[in-house]
Amino acid sequence: MTGRGEPPEGVPENAAGGGEDEYRSVVFDESFVRAARLQEFSAQERMGEHARAVRSLPAHHFRTGSRAVIALVVLISLAFAAAVYMGFRNPYQAPVARRVEPLRSTVVPLAPRGTVPGGTAADLYATGPAAHFRTGAAGINLPMTRRTDNFSDSQVTTALITVKDYLVASSLDPDVLTGGTVRPVELLLDPDQTGQFERSMTRSADDGQHAAAGWLVRFDPAKVALADPDIRVQGTLTYSEAGSDTLEVVSDHTFTYALRPAVSGPQAAGGISLFTVRRELHFRFDREDLRLHRLELRTSYVQAGPQACSPDVSGALHPLLAGERAVSRGPAGTDPYATGRPAAALCGTLDVSSRQSRAPESSPGPPSPSAGSLRSHP
């Protein structure tokens, strides 16, 4: 038999391509074999007792890879050490936890000298000390702000805006004034004070800590209604540092309300009367309060009249309306429109009734404080 015969398995599938087998692309050249991690022993070497089939190459073949692993481990260790060091040396230390103190409040009723005058809201405003006051939130003006040693200009502005929002919610919101809601006020308080606030709203007490009138202005809707939604306001805002992490704001504002009886009857014949509330409030902010637009109310001093010298001034205020008079009054006159630091008292005498007949041009500014001393709160 001559010539080349076909393989027993038949012609390969890739015979047309030159007869290359499918593993031609895998070439185990000499350099590949030398670089292998394991090498096979020769037949003579494998004949020895306890001989292994393969032997390991010297470690120098993998020196480059080992160095890369060591360098990576060192780099990770250095990065971790730097992070720990920067954590201890961080110049922005975490703020020290501060315990929020409960509100301390004083509410002083101011009794009228005689019968409460009545009339229309426009006439009463025009002839009274509040004639030059601005209306509503426009009467709560922010002062010029400047950064302090530890607080930026924007942080000071944030504190003042938060206080203004609190004054608007607690002194000008019609729903709050008539007892419909307290939520707008509560939302602005530090959470550590909400428990005291809620107890003051539900179980008011004249104990210096749980008087509703210390937190907000509220009238009994069954007896009193707003006769004019345009409440007259005037006052000041000041700020100062109380430490490297604490900012304080003091507000001193007088609010004048036009009121009428809630129901028609003989009492409504006297017309509308004015009711004045002076509020001096001290607020405190830490950096978390500034970030979350909330505040801590530290102290509250309130003078409100005309109302009787009732022993219960803890809840809603009890205005005396047009034509009414107080059975008793305090020992000396107290003018809620006067500037300067108010004096503490159990009860005072409202000393502006006779001045409400003056024309606005004859009283360009707030009247001076009345003479006389007041009894101090125990």
Side-chain angles (χ1 to χ4, degrees), residues 33-41 52 54-57 62:
V33 174
R34 285 200 306 267
R37 177 68 179 89
L38 300 177
Q39 288 187 352
E40 185 179 4
F41 287 103
R52 294 177 297 173
V54 295
R55 64 170 174 266
S56 300
L57 292 177
F62 305 95

Side-chain angles (χ1 to χ4, degrees), residues 167-219:
L167 293 175
V168 170
S170 62
S171 309
L172 301 176
D173 188 327
D175 292 332
V176 173
L177 295 175
T178 56
T181 182
V182 298
R183 191 62 175 166
V185 180
E186 185 175 8
L187 289 175
L188 292 169
L189 292 173
D190 189 294
D192 290 341
Q193 283 194 314
T194 55
Q196 182 188 10
F197 175 81
E198 290 173 355
R199 180 184 169 185
S200 301
M201 297 302 107
T202 56
R203 301 190 305 277
S204 297
D206 189 16
D207 58 0
Q209 291 189 343
H210 298 96
W215 301 93
L216 48 80
V217 177
R218 182 166 66 180
F219 305 112

